[in-house]
């Protein structure tokens, strides 16, 4: 079983927005693959949203409500991307400590 400091932060939140963690030694297990897939979707969505934001900011006729909605979507996407970055950084740290 995984040591407590080797838990994987999952790319979704639990009840009340609390982080979810995975404890497993199997990086190819169902939950690990599910988390990898969701991270991939989140990163792809963030890239698409960033392009949409760039286009909207260049549009002089965009209305304030659309900008507000875009800002809300960007904030959610940034939260997801930060969770992915944190999780992957933690995984790198665990991998490095096993190599030492």
């Amino acid at each position: 079983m995984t040591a407590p400091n080797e838990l994987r932060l999952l790319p979704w939140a639990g009840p009340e927005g609390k982080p979810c963690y995975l404890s497993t030694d199997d990086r190819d297990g169902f939950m690990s693959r599910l988390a990898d897939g969701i991270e991939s979707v989140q990163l792809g969505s963030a890239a698409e949203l960033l392009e949409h934001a760039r286009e909207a900011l260049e549009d002089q006729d965009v209305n304030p409500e659309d900008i507000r909605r875009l800002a809300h979507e960007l904030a959610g996407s940034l939260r997801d991307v930060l969770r992915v970055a944190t999780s992957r950084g933690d995984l790198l740290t665990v991998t490095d400590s096993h190599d030492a």
Side-chain angles (χ1 to χ4, degrees):
M1 189 51 79
T2 306
N5 63 341
E6 296 178 2
L7 297 174
R8 177 181 179 171
L9 176 64
L10 293 172
W12 56 81
E16 301 173 7
K18 294 182 179 182
C20 293
Y21 295 92
L22 175 62
S23 175
T24 183
D25 293 330
D26 187 2
R27 290 190 178 210
D28 292 321
F30 174 77
M31 289 301 294
S32 294
R33 289 191 328 269
L34 177 64
D36 291 343
I38 291 174
E39 286 179 351
S40 180
V41 168
Q42 289 173 327
L43 294 174
S45 295
E48 290 175 14
L49 186 57
L50 184 58
E51 179 60 23
H52 179 68
R54 187 191 61 74
E55 292 169 359
L57 292 172
E58 290 176 357
D59 182 358
Q60 297 297 319
D61 297 325
V62 68
N63 71 49
E65 183 60 32
D66 288 339
I67 293 293
R68 229 180 332 276
R69 188 177 312 109
L70 179 60
H72 181 71
E73 291 175 15
L74 285 167
S77 183
L78 180 58
R79 179 201 61 233
D80 293 343
V81 168
L82 285 173
R83 185 179 289 127
V84 170
T86 299
S87 176
R88 291 186 180 185
D90 290 346
L91 289 174
L92 289 173
T93 302
V94 169
T95 302
D96 289 346
S97 69
H98 284 265
D99 293 340

